[in-house]
């Protein structure tokens, strides 16, 4: 448009719309100005949001309007912001912002709308792609500029926020620009190297907005171009005085490719490459965005008035490949053609025609239009995602996983968008989108629920297998599709978790490994990796799966062939897969195991497998699994030999095993020490061809052996003495190793301890060959055998030795005898014993028979029992003597013969000690208690008389043996018989018995001597304490029941009778020498003990009511006497006198502390109290005088004497008589004293006392009253009343001084002692009076204290009729005055009756 036409158009707007140049003024001018002002200030929350506005249209944001504008076909739509310090508008601005747009330019309609409020040229054209809508956006530029300028298509106008002087309206009144700026000024800023764009908006910035504008410009988000169909370039330039400091930022869409239209879903997709360059740097930041644009029909229920012309929602989703472009600001997630401020945390951008808040910062969440759009987003995403994933048909599988980053796995902080995320999750689960491993080159996609992941470690193994060229086509053939390895990695864990894709169940691995035959196809390195994987996951994954049935473990079979075992088969078949510590051992063991494995169940891993295992990185884990699960063993040849030995069960295997040990030792596979252990433990083949596993000893084959010459046959086969088979002497070849004849036998002698005589060690068993005569040669061989055994420190077994000792194989003078019964003696003492001994003929060894060779074996003969010494001969004689005593009873002659023999030996100076030692401890001597040993017997004499009365002792039976026995006292003593008492008190008490006859004083003295002289009399004393053996004046008693009383304590005996005293007349003075022993036995001698006994007896009398007054007086007398002598009584008696109720009082028996010693001051109070008096004639039955003589003793025992101390008795014993007149003033005086004493310690009077005191016993001027029904007359009453006017306590009876002194005590009892407190009681007393004067005084008294009756309708008014007559009437029947005599006939006129 020409400039003239444009100017004319502007002037017409000013005149017609704003009344400029007209005489009248626009009546709405002020309202229009304020409306625009408020709108521009409040429209956006940020001052600089105007940057989204552009003056090319009255309702456009800079970018929105640029997008809505029309562009020439030969230009690339662009928008440029330039900020400069030049004041080209001459408005005094420090900085100016210029916005350039190469559109066709403003039309007249655009100018019309920008000069109005809320009127847009795009209204109703939403369906044509226009994105501005509010018609008010341009007005917000006034927030940063007071005078915005527009140069476009011939128009050059400006607006001002100040009201125009021509019309009083601001903001929307256009004003033509004639001066600054002009087009040259604008061109200078833009630059002369290029043509000036059609439209320029110039904003002289407010000083306080410059920084905010620059920040907004610098943070313009690069992704703003993604959803604009027209604008392809947006740049920001800041011009400074220093050209080097000039800042330039440019965003552009560099290319658009892969455009595809999908008619089935009314969608299109394409890829945009967005570039950003700042400050002219050579490098550009780029990001590629996969764009998906899909149309959805608008749902009828979501239509709104603003979009009535729109029938389709167009939803665009942008998926950034790589890092999104940004300029430090947060990247918006929601666009309404231009960015909002919303960040959804979704990995893609949503663009749609949303209804925005006025600020454009967010969409309206509660708007049904917006909700309808958002409901379509999940469907659009699923289609876009599937198309993106499957469109790359030629792309390799490794290119697909990055696409899965577009899945919204992270929760959104905006609940509405999080629901979109969850909806996407549900929809995507039904789509075939997951790339899986395939047996062909064709890509296979499955639903997430049909796919499983594999363990990363297993993938590593599969990759190794694939590199080896081994086909894995069966990977997805075992119940689930296997996720592509490119996606199945840690990087995509969260994505896969979002999709619900879990790991394959543990059973899958076993099916695949078995089905793919992997274990047999892969080389050793991969095999061990597979084994390592299984081992690592065995306990957590595979222990309860089919994996235990998969053949996993390699081994070399018995035939040398390679085989495989499963874990379950290993357990079921009881086999073991073994390894060796080193490969040299392994080859040796594999070779021999071919012969031995059949029995042992042991197999070895192949040599190559163990070699690879030794260098495996995860060797420890595999070894742990092999040892703990497979139960494999790492065996050295020695350990292998141990296990094989346990399984040998055939003759051939046992012999092969023996050859294996021989050659393993010979080739140094097994050490000497270990080979010995193995040989000693290995099974052997015996002479009968049987396999023997256990043995005690190993005998060389019988042929040519010495043992067979002595024994003929093996006598100890039952004791595991095994004779080796002759096979061990033969040659043989096994596992390629040869053994020569007798070579194996030599090996067994050395390491298996195969033995012959004289090196055989016998068992603890019988030796039958010794039971019959032996030839000289065999006898000497036997002795040589014994010599060898003893020289090796071998102790001959008991049974074996017993057979040799007791077998009759040794030739003697008495024929063949047992060595234990034979003697090898000197001629001298042998002949002597043979002639003098009447018991036995000694068997002497026939040395000539043995060629006089036996002296060389004297030690061995001694070891098997042959005797050489005189002492042995005596023992032999003793044994013979004992055999006689065992077979029959010894006669007197036998005993005398023995005693004579002992005497003979002594006479010949030959000690009989060995004979005596042999027989003295055996029970062959007849005594009074049966047969006893000599050392346990006693030869009776007079010294044992007393002891025999109280003990059971074995005295030699002199009647049986006759009196001659006493002539051998010396010989008996040698045998151990006790022949005198010799202070054997301990022996007596150890055999003590209670005598059946009465005990004499002599026996008693003997018993206490036993206590004194015995070493351990404790048990004896216990028995004495329980037995009644001491004689007393009351008969025989136990010690604890018997007393010995000193003279100074004799007063105790007067208290009670029948005290059992020790009978000194019976025992005499000697008994006193043993008083200490009697005390130990329990005799009571201490004062404390005696007093306890007396006290016990007193209690018995008290309980039986037999403790008479005389005894009580005796008790007090004893108390006085002992207190004087001993300064007090013993505790037992003292406790009784203090605590027991033994004093007879007026209220029955009481303890002293519960009794009162009666005195004159107790007389009055006794009238009104029940008190426990001692000393009054009533309680003491005429013996009060005697009781009073013990007054001090009673006081010391706790008895109360004075009234002052007896308040508690009075308080508890109050008993006011029914006849109140019997209560004397003295009694009341005493009672009040007691109450005062009671209250001194701060104690309140007990409730039961207050109940008992509440009777009519107080004498008043109105008769007897309860304490709370009377008053104490004092000066406070005398001002109003006379004493006789009320129930005042009778002073004449009690005495005024007494009453005043006990005022507090009376008040405690309830007596009213205060005039004010007595009103109620006086009022109660009032109605019972008839004396007018008294009544008048009481009225005055009550009035003085303002007393008022609670019940006002009672008869409170006194109408006198004479001096002491009248009547009480109700106040309702009275009037105060009746001057006109109106009421006197019916009512009482009170003024007529002054009271």
């Amino acid at each position: 448009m020409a400039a003239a036409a444009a100017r004319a158009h502007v002037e017409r707007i000013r005149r017609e719309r704003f009344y400029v140049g007209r005489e009248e003024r626009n009546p709405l001018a002020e309202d229009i100005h304020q409306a625009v002002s408020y709108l521009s200030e409040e429209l956006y929350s940020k001052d600089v949001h105007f940057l989204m506005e552009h003056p090319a249209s009255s309702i456009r944001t800079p970018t929105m309007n640029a997008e809505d504008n029309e562009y020439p076909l030969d230009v690339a739509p662009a928008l440029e912001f330039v900020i400069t310090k030049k004041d080209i508008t001459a408005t005094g601005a420090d900085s100016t912002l210029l916005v350039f747009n190469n559109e066709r330019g403003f039309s007249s309609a655009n100018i019309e709308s920008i000069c109005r409020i809320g009127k847009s040229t795009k209204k109703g054209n939403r369906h044509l792609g226009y994105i501005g809508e509010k018609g008010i956006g341009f007005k917000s530029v006034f927030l940063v500029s007071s005078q915005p300028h527009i140069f476009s298509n011939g128009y050059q106008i400006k607006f001002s926020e100040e009201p125009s002087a021509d019309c009083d309206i601001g903001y929307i009144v256009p004003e033509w620009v004639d001066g600054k700026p002009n087009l040259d000024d604008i061109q200078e800023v833009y630059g002369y190297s290029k043509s000036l764009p059609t439209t320029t908006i110039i904003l002289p910035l407010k000083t306080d907005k410059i920084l905010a504008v620059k920040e907004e410009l610098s943070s313009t988000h690069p992704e703003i171009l993604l959803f604009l169909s027209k604008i392809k370039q947006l740049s920001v330039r800041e011009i400074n005085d220093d050209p080097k400091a000039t800042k330039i930022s440019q965003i552009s869409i560099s290319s658009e490719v892969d455009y595809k239209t999908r008619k089935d879903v009314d969608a299109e997709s394409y890829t945009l490459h967005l570039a950003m360059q700042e400050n002219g740097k050579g490098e550009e930041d780029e990001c590629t965005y996969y764009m998906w644009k899909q149309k959805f029909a608008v749902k009828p229920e979501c239509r709104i008035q603003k979009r009535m012309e729109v029938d389709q929602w167009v939803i665009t989703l942008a998926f950034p490949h790589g890092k999104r472009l940004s300029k430090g600001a947060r990247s918006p997630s929601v666009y309404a053609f231009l960015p909002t401020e919303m960040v959804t945390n979704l990995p893609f951008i949503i663009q749609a025609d949303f209804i925005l808040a006025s600020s454009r910062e967010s969409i309206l969440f509660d708007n049904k239009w917006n909700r309808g759009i958002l409901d379509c987003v999940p469907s659009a995403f699923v289609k876009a995602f599937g198309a993106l994933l499957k469109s790359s048909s030629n792309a390799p599988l490794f290119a697909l996983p990055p696409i899965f980053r577009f899945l919204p796995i992270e929760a959104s902080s905006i609940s509405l968008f999080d629901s979109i995320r969850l909806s996407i999750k549900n929809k995507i689960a039904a789509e075939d989108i997951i790339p899986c491993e395939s047996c062909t080159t064709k890509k296979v996609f499955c639903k997430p629920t049909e796919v499983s992941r594999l363990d990363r470690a297993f993938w590593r193994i599969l990759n190794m297998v694939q590199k080896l060229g081994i086909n894995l086509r069966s990977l997805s053939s075992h119940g689930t599709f296997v996720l592509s390895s490119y996606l199945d990695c840690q990087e995509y864990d969260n994505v896969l978790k979002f999709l619900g894709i879990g790991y394959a169940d543990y059973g899958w691995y076993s099916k695949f490994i078995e089905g793919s035959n992997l274990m047999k196809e892969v080389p050793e390195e991969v095999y061990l990796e597979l084994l390592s994987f299984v081992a690592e996951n065995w306990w957590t994954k595979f222990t309860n799966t089919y994996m235990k049935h998969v053949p996993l473990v390699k081994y070399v079979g018995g035939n040398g062939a390679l085989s495989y075992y499963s874990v379950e088969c290993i357990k079921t078949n009881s086999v073991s897969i073994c390894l060796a510590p080193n490969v040299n051992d392994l080859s040796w063991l594999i070779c021999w195991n071919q012969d031995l494995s059949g029995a042992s169940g042991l197999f070895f891993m192949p040599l190559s497998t163990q070699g690879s295992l030794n260098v495996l990185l995860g060797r420890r884990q595999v070894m742990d699994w092999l040892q703990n699960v497979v139960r494999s063993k790492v065996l050295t040849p020695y350990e292998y030999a141990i296990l094989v030995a346990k399984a040998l069960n055939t003759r051939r295997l046992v012999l092969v095993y023996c050859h294996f040990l021989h050659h393993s030792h010979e080739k140094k596979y097994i050490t000497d020490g270990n080979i010995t252990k193995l040989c000693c433990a290995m099974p052997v083949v015996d002479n009968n061809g049987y396999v023997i596993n256990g043995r005690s000893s190993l005998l060389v084959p019988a042929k040519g052996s010495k043992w067979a010459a002595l024994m003929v046959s093996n006598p100890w086969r039952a004791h595991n003495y095994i004779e080796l088979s002759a096979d061990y002497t033969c040659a043989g070849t096994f596992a390629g190793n040869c053994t020569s004849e007798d070579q194996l036998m030599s090996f067994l002698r050395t390491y298996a301890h195969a033995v012959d005589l004289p090196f055989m060690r016998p068992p603890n068993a019988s030796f039958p060959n010794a039971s019959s005569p032996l030839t000289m040669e065999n006898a000497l061989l036997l002795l040589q055998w014994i010599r060898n055994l003893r020289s090796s420190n071998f102790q001959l077994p008991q049974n074996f030795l017993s057979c040799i000792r007791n077998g009759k194989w040794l030739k003697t003078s008495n024929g063949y005898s047992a060595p234990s019964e034979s003697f090898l003696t000197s001629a001298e003492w042998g002949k002597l014993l043979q002639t003098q001994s009447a018991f036995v003929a000694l068997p002497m060894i026939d040395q000539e028979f043995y060629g006089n060779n036996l002296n060389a074996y004297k030690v061995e003969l001694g070891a098997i029992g042959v005797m050489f010494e005189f002492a042995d001969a005596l023992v032999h004689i003793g044994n013979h003597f004992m055999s006689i005593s065992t077979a029959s009873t010894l006669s007197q002659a036998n005993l005398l013969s023995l005693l004579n023999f002992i005497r003979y030996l002594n006479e010949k100076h030959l000690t009989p000690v060995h004979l005596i030692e042999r027989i003295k401890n055996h029970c062959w001597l007849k005594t009074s208690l049966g047969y006893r040993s000599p050392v346990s017997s006693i030869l009776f004499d007079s010294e044992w008389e007393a002891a025999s009365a109280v003990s059971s002792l074995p005295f030699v039976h002199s009647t049986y043996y006759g009196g001659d026995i006493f002539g051998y006292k010396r010989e008996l003593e040698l045998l151990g018989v006790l022949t005198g008492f010799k202070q054997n008190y301990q022996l007596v008490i150890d055999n003590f018995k209670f005598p059946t006859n009465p005990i004499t004083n002599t026996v008693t003295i003997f018993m206490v001597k036993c206590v004194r002289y015995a070493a351990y009399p404790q048990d004896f004393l216990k028995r004495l304490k329980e037995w009644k053996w001491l004689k007393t004046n009351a008969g025989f008693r136990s010690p604890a029941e018997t007393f010995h009383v000193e003279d100074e304590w004799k007063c105790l005996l007067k208290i009670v009778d029948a005290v059992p005293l020790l009978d000194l007349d019976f025992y005499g003075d000697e008994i006193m020498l043993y008083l200490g022993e009697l005390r130990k036995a329990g005799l009571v001698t201490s004062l404390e003990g005696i007093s306890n006994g007396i006290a016990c007896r007193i209690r018995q009398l008290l309980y039986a009511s037999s403790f008479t007054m005389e005894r009580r007086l005796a008790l007090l007398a004893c108390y006085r006497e002992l207190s004087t002598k001993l300064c007090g009584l013993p505790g037992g008696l003292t406790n009784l006198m203090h605590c027991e109720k033994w004093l007879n009082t007026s209220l029955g028996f009481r303890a002293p502390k519960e009794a009162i010693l009666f005195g004159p001051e107790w007389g009055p109070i006794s009238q009104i109290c029940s008190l426990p008096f001692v000393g009054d004639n009533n309680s003491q039955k005429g013996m009060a005088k005697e009781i009073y003589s013990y007054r001090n003793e009673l006081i010391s025992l706790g008895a109360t004497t004075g009234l002052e101390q007896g308040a508690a008795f009075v308080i508890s014993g109050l008993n006011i008589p029914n006849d109140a007149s019997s209560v004397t003033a003295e009694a009341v005086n005493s009672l009040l004293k007691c109450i005062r004493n009671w209250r001194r310690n701060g104690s309140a009077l007990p409730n039961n006392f207050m109940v008992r005191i509440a009777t009519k016993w107080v004498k008043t001027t109105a008769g007897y009253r309860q304490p709370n029904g009377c008053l104490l007359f004092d000066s406070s009453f005398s001002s109003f009343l006379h004493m006789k006017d009320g129930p005042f306590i009778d002073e004449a009876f009690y005495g005024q001084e007494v009453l005043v002194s006990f005022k507090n005590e009376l008040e405690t009892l309830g007596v009213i002692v205060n005039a004010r407190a007595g009103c109620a009681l006086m009022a109660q007393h009032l109605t019972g009076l008839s004396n007018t004067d008294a009544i008048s005084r009481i009225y005055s008294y009550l009035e003085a204290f303002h007393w008022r009756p609670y019940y006002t309708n009672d008869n409170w008014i006194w109408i006198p009729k004479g001096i002491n007559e009248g009547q009480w009437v109700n106040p309702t029947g009275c009037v105060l005055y009746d001057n006109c005599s109106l009421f006197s006939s019916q009512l009482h006129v009170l003024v007529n009756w002054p009271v």
Side-chain angles (χ1 to χ4, degrees), residues 105 127 339 458 556 618 745 761 776 851 994 1027 1036 1186 1212:
H127 63 290
F458 198 70
V556 178
M745 198 63 236
R761 292 189 174 187
M776 179 190 71
F994 292 116
W1027 179 40
F1036 283 95
E1186 287 82 351
S1212 62

Side-chain angles (χ1 to χ4, degrees), residues 571-629:
K571 293 180 180 177
T572 304
N573 298 330
S574 299
V575 298
S576 294
I577 308 301
C578 305
L579 302 95
N582 60 71
V583 293
N584 291 331
D585 290 348
L586 185 61
S587 59
W588 175 258
L589 294 175
I590 290 175
C591 182
W592 277 98
N593 197 54
Q594 294 180 33
D595 283 326
L596 295 171
S597 62
S600 65
L602 298 176
F603 298 96
F604 287 89
M605 275 192 168
L607 197 61
S608 59
T609 303
Q610 179 162 345
S612 299
L613 179 59
N614 289 341
V615 297
L616 181 67
L617 190 61
R619 179 180 183 276
R620 183 68 267 161
Q621 191 171 55
V622 174
M623 288 299 300
D624 288 344
W625 179 76
L626 288 171
Q627 291 173 342
N628 297 326
V629 176

Side-chain angles (χ1 to χ4, degrees), residues 88-122:
I88 64 174
T89 60
T91 57
D94 291 334
S95 290
T96 302
L97 175 66
L98 293 88
V99 184
F100 301 98
N101 184 211
N102 58 356
E103 61 159 333
R104 290 185 182 275
F106 274 59
S107 65
S108 57
N110 296 147
I111 297 297
E112 288 282 346
S113 65
I114 206 171
C115 296
R116 293 189 178 187
I117 306 172
K119 184 173 179 62
S120 173
T121 58
K122 298 190 291 291

Side-chain angles (χ1 to χ4, degrees), residues 803-823:
C803 287
I804 295 176
R805 287 171 59 91
N806 301 313
K808 296 184 181 298
W809 58 271
L810 190 62
K811 184 172 177 52
T812 70
S813 58
N814 292 343
Y816 282 94
S817 300
S820 60
E821 298 174 351
S822 303
F823 290 86

Side-chain angles (χ1 to χ4, degrees), residues 1130-1157:
L1133 201 56
T1134 300
N1135 183 59
L1136 176 138
M1137 297 186 74
H1138 277 89
C1139 301
E1140 292 292 339
K1141 295 181 179 182
W1142 60 275
L1143 274 177
N1144 194 6
T1145 72
S1146 55
L1147 298 181
F1149 287 98
R1150 298 288 176 92
K1153 63 183 178 182
E1154 299 171 344
I1156 302 170
L1157 189 61

Side-chain angles (χ1 to χ4, degrees), residues 1 52 327 329-330 443 712-713 743 780 932 1054 1084 1185:
M1 181 181 286
M52 296 296 113
K327 297 180 68 176
R330 293 192 301 175
K443 297 186 181 70
V712 181
S713 63
Q743 188 178 5
L780 294 178
R932 295 284 193 272
K1054 299 177 182 178
V1084 183
K1185 183 176 180 181

